[in-house]
Amino acid sequence: WDKFSHPYSKKEFGKWELILPPKPDNSPAVDHNTKLKVVVHTKEGERLYRISPWAKYVTREEKSVVYDWVHWDPPQPYVHIHPRPKKPLSLRIYEAHVGIGSPEPKVASYKNFTHNVLPRIKDLGYNCIQLMAIMEHAYYASFGYQITSYFAASSRFGTPDDLKELIDVAHSMGIAVLLDVVHSHASKNTEDGLNAFDGSDSCFFHSPPRGEHSLWGSRLFNYASWEVLRFLLSNLRWWLEEYRFDGFRFDGITSMLYHHHGIGTGFSGDYNEYFGLQVDEESLVYLMLSNHILHILYPDCITIAEDVSGMPALCRRVEEGGLGFDYRLAMAIPDKWIQILKELKDEEWDMGNIVFTLTNRRYGEKCIAYAESHDQALVGDKTLAFWLMDKEMYTNMSTLIPMSPIIDRGIQLHKMIRLLTHGLGGEGYLNFMGNEFGHPEWLDFPREGNNQSYHYARRQFNLLDMDHLRYHQLYAFDRDMNRTEDKYGWLAAPPAYVSAKHEGDKVIVFDRANVLFIFNFHPSKSFQDYRVGVEAPGKYKIKLDSDGVQYGGHGRLDHNTDFFTEPQPFNGRSNSMLVNISNTTLLTHQRSPFLLNVTES
């Protein structure tokens, strides 16, 4: 390295500038794939070797622990062909991580995701992908949440052009792509991160202790600094314009909103918890500014907030005094399902409490409902499928043998939990990759504690290609659930009207978007001529039945049956009708939900 060959000149307001004229043949002064460094001479006389905070591509040698800044300027850069899809009315999100998108124990690539995973997502009926761990992060096991280079797409999965192709192909399928953006904190790395870029503890960040997150071991941005605001806002615009992402899922919003970062703090919903000196107004204003700019410049941009606190007006427009997000994650729902499966017997399930959790959201603020996300898949927790079926998934998932009681219960409840969450829980739906087909085991990235193993850092899509395993039945139900929503649009409809939550019968009934949902969670009872309330009069037909044989069910309902309403008010609805919920003569497990859609009024 020639440390003094290209000195920067100092400008006003702390800016430094370096202009490199082209070569005599008019080619760029810096060749494609050239390694670069910034040399910083500090006030204390130190000489620091840094990666530019605006580096667009950083790579690491196989045995190196530090990344290198590499100039990315290919002579024939990738050109996007397909237009962005329109903003979906009903948002069905497939949360995905490129690196684990292969059955093989390795870091999978953007190319693999484009050719092998995107077609599955399209087939499943999801219209949006939320990509995790794209912003460059030195530590793979951080799941992409310890960012070192904010403008660089992770090189461990391939080149920037490979990512552009992935997004372009997704757009050709009508699928929007969101970036999991981490502006809530940054890695403490110095040589390949933002930390101590100029040798001080306050460049980009607050000085400690305010500038450090005690649990995450990371640095916290100074959102009062204009330079930091420009850096972060330009970062958002970079991902939208250079890579053509369609929006963002903002990570760690709770940590940003409060000086206590949510550490050791519970939220009851009392307004004193949201309005007081504990609120970090600088962070809050940054989030308002981000949403304001994004929605003005890109009207179809989608923004989602990951906030566990329930901050009021998070998803109301900035003009109304809100923070401007389009959606918030309904984070209480997966916690409720895990709590039920861990702590309660089947006959102890509380229908009213389940319905309350699924419908407890602020009026006029849209929520993304989900039964489980990447959080529940991580080592230390278990997926819903594993909570339900555990070690029997290794031995009893074959269609060539009768279902054991545990597998039978697990498969039926896996479908019902997802459909109930999908229909009642929000204005959008999210699923983490692999969970749609009951992916066995957990998710664990290579690290010292597991001898750097990739065994659990993969998704075993190969299980779907084995017709004798029941995973393809769960996959088929998830696919048809999304396709049914696409047809009737309940996610874009007003909240559901719950007409029944019967504790003794373990039955939940609600209608939304002209679709009647009926769930029987009772472990041993079925019901003949069961009266349910419905608003729209007419003839109803079964449109989705989780008890279908193709979904691993028992085929107890006749789909040729027509159900006619009677002008008899019931449970707060103007009309009602009689239905059969499963058949007691076939087996003792009577769990079964189905959907009825009005065909004539």
Side-chain angles (χ1 to χ4, degrees):
W1 297 97
D2 185 341
K3 307 174 190 63
F4 308 101
S5 59
H6 298 84
Y8 282 75
S9 57
K10 188 174 183 179
K11 314 299 266 187
E12 287 185 304
F13 310 115
K15 294 182 180 178
W16 295 80
E17 182 181 80
L18 173 59
I19 297 174
L20 299 176
K23 297 176 183 176
D25 63 358
N26 219 29
S27 62
V30 182
D31 293 331
H32 176 56
N33 275 335
T34 299
K35 285 186 180 181
L36 303 166
K37 275 195 187 297
V38 172
V39 184
V40 180
H41 301 275
T42 70
K43 291 180 179 178
E44 290 74 25
E46 294 180 279
R47 187 172 297 148
L48 308 176
Y49 298 89
R50 296 289 189 250
I51 289 177
S52 168
W54 291 269
K56 309 303 188 289
Y57 187 53
V58 295
T59 62
R60 182 167 60 182
E61 301 291 340
E62 188 173 340
K63 295 183 179 180
S64 174
V65 295
V66 178
Y67 276 89
D68 294 313
W69 172 21
V70 176
H71 184 61
W72 184 261
D73 185 21
Q76 294 179 316
Y78 186 87
V79 178
H80 290 273
I81 302 171
H82 304 284
R84 298 178 190 268
K86 290 185 177 180
K87 189 175 185 176
L89 292 176
S90 296
L91 201 59
R92 300 182 299 275
I93 302 172
Y94 195 84
E95 184 184 35
H97 185 289
V98 171
I100 65 172
S102 164
E104 301 175 54
K106 65 177 186 180
V107 178
S109 66
Y110 296 124
K111 291 279 189 185
N112 168 76
F113 196 94
T114 301
H115 297 300
N116 296 321
V117 183
L118 281 182
R120 293 188 190 272
I121 297 173
K122 174 65 175 176
D123 180 61
L124 281 164
Y126 291 95
N127 56 18
C128 182
I129 300 169
Q130 179 182 300
L131 281 183
M132 308 174 64
I134 295 299
M135 302 167 79
E136 191 60 90
H137 48 291
Y139 184 42
Y140 188 43
S142 74
F143 221 144
Y145 291 122
Q146 296 270 348
I147 306 300
T148 45
S149 290
Y150 276 76
F151 286 77
S154 182
S155 61
R156 56 171 57 85
F157 310 133
T159 68
D161 283 9
D162 293 342
L163 175 58
K164 291 176 183 179
E165 180 189 25
L166 185 162
I167 295 170
D168 200 23
V169 172
H171 286 170
S172 75
M173 298 177 175
I175 299 173
V177 186
L178 307 183
L179 176 71
D180 197 346
V181 71
V182 187
H183 282 183
S184 50
H185 65 129
S187 167
K188 285 204 303 188
N189 289 18
T190 54
E191 287 194 52
D192 53 8
L194 292 180
N195 191 23
F197 177 76
D198 64 350
S200 74
D201 61 8
S202 59
C203 185
F204 289 100
F205 311 109
H206 288 290
S207 296
R210 185 178 177 185
E212 290 183 340
H213 197 292
S214 59
L215 285 185
W216 296 344
S218 52
R219 298 304 312 271
L220 301 176
F221 286 104
N222 177 5
Y223 303 102
S225 163
W226 283 33
E227 287 73 20
V228 172
L229 291 177
R230 288 175 178 139
F231 177 79
L232 295 174
L233 292 171
S234 65
N235 185 238
L236 296 174
R237 192 165 188 182
W238 165 260
W239 290 108
L240 288 179
E241 297 204 350
E242 181 70 13
Y243 289 93
R244 296 181 65 81
F245 278 95
D246 301 289
F248 302 98
R249 178 255 199 197
F250 281 75
D251 178 70
I253 294 299
T254 307
S255 173
M256 296 178 67
L257 290 176
Y258 308 97
H259 290 296
H260 55 62
H261 309 302
I263 301 172
T265 304
F267 293 93
S268 65
D270 188 292
Y271 277 78
N272 291 317
E273 296 166 353
Y274 307 116
F275 303 103
L277 295 178
Q278 73 274 22
V279 175
D280 188 333
E281 293 184 357
E282 294 167 1
S283 301
L284 188 143
V285 168
Y286 165 67
L287 293 171
M288 295 173 73
L289 188 59
S290 299
N291 280 300
H292 178 68
I293 289 174
L294 288 172
H295 288 106
I296 283 181
L297 294 178
Y298 315 97
D300 283 345
C301 178
I302 301 167
T303 59
I304 301 172
E306 188 221 18
D307 170 44
V308 74
S309 74
M311 170 65 79
L314 189 70
C315 299
R316 299 302 298 179
R317 295 189 308 152
V318 174
E319 293 84 347
E320 300 173 345
L323 272 71
F325 286 98
D326 295 300
Y327 298 89
R328 70 196 315 154
L329 293 177
M331 301 181 73
I333 296 176
D335 292 343
K336 173 56 65 176
W337 287 125
I338 294 296
Q339 180 211 349
I340 289 171
L341 295 179
K342 286 172 68 173
E343 300 176 4
L344 300 180
K345 298 176 182 178
D346 291 0
E347 57 270 20
E348 295 174 342
W349 286 31
D350 185 332
M351 300 295 105
N353 185 250
I354 291 171
V355 168
F356 173 78
T357 303
L358 288 166
T359 56
N360 181 27
R361 51 189 185 270
R362 297 191 181 280
Y363 180 78
E365 297 194 46
K366 292 190 284 190
C367 287
I368 303 293
Y370 58 105
E372 53 186 336
S373 69
H374 70 271
D375 289 323
Q376 287 70 42
L378 286 170
V379 65
D381 205 339
K382 292 194 285 190
T383 62
L384 288 182
F386 225 53
W387 276 115
L388 289 163
M389 296 176 276
D390 210 68
K391 62 180 182 295
E392 290 216 14
M393 297 186 77
Y394 297 120
T395 55
N396 292 336
M397 286 296 278
S398 173
T399 58
L400 304 178
I401 59 174
M403 276 196 288
S404 70
I406 288 177
I407 294 296
D408 189 3
R409 170 184 180 270
I411 284 181
Q412 312 319 324
L413 285 178
H414 191 272
K415 293 176 292 185
M416 292 176 68
I417 287 170
R418 298 178 116 64
L419 180 58
L420 182 57
T421 302
H422 206 304
L424 192 58
E427 291 70 39
Y429 178 77
L430 178 142
N431 166 72
F432 179 64
M433 67 187 308
N435 289 349
E436 70 277 4
F437 64 85
H439 195 286
E441 300 170 335
W442 50 88
L443 184 62
D444 191 14
F445 286 89
R447 54 189 174 85
E448 285 185 16
N450 64 13
N451 294 319
Q452 305 297 333
S453 171
Y454 285 86
H455 180 74
Y456 296 111
R458 58 192 179 120
R459 298 280 91 177
Q460 299 180 56
F461 291 114
N462 55 303
L463 297 173
L464 292 173
D465 302 325
M466 302 178 188
D467 291 340
H468 68 283
L469 296 181
R470 297 190 181 275
Y471 297 104
H472 71 85
Q473 297 171 338
L474 294 175
Y475 176 97
F477 181 77
D478 199 80
R479 176 196 65 207
D480 292 350
M481 175 176 68
N482 282 322
R483 291 181 179 181
T484 306
E485 195 288 325
D486 189 55
K487 184 176 182 180
Y488 298 110
W490 60 72
L491 288 173
Y497 183 91
V498 181
S499 58
K501 39 189 175 182
H502 198 292
E503 298 302 339
D505 297 343
K506 300 299 180 194
V507 168
I508 295 173
V509 181
F510 62 89
D511 54 88
R512 189 178 185 188
N514 249 10
V515 177
L516 181 66
F517 294 74
I518 304 174
F519 293 82
N520 174 17
F521 280 98
H522 204 288
S524 59
K525 280 187 182 179
S526 61
F527 304 95
Q528 300 286 328
D529 294 331
Y530 195 89
R531 185 167 294 278
V532 296
V534 63
E535 191 60 31
K539 180 177 73 174
Y540 283 71
K541 292 189 73 69
I542 295 174
K543 294 300 179 181
L544 181 65
D545 173 17
S546 78
D547 198 41
V549 174
Q550 70 273 33
Y551 308 137
H554 303 280
R556 291 167 289 190
L557 294 176
D558 181 1
H559 286 217
N560 295 317
T561 303
D562 294 330
F563 300 86
F564 293 92
T565 61
E566 304 170 32
Q568 178 178 336
F570 188 73
N571 282 349
R573 306 315 267 160
S574 303
N575 300 280
S576 61
M577 59 186 173
L578 299 175
V579 299
N580 294 338
I581 310 178
S582 78
N583 186 322
T584 55
T585 61
L586 289 180
L587 79 170
T588 57
H589 254 358
Q590 305 311 327
R591 299 175 182 83
S592 175
F594 58 96
L595 303 184
L596 294 167
N597 177 252
V598 61
T599 55
E600 297 176 5
S601 295

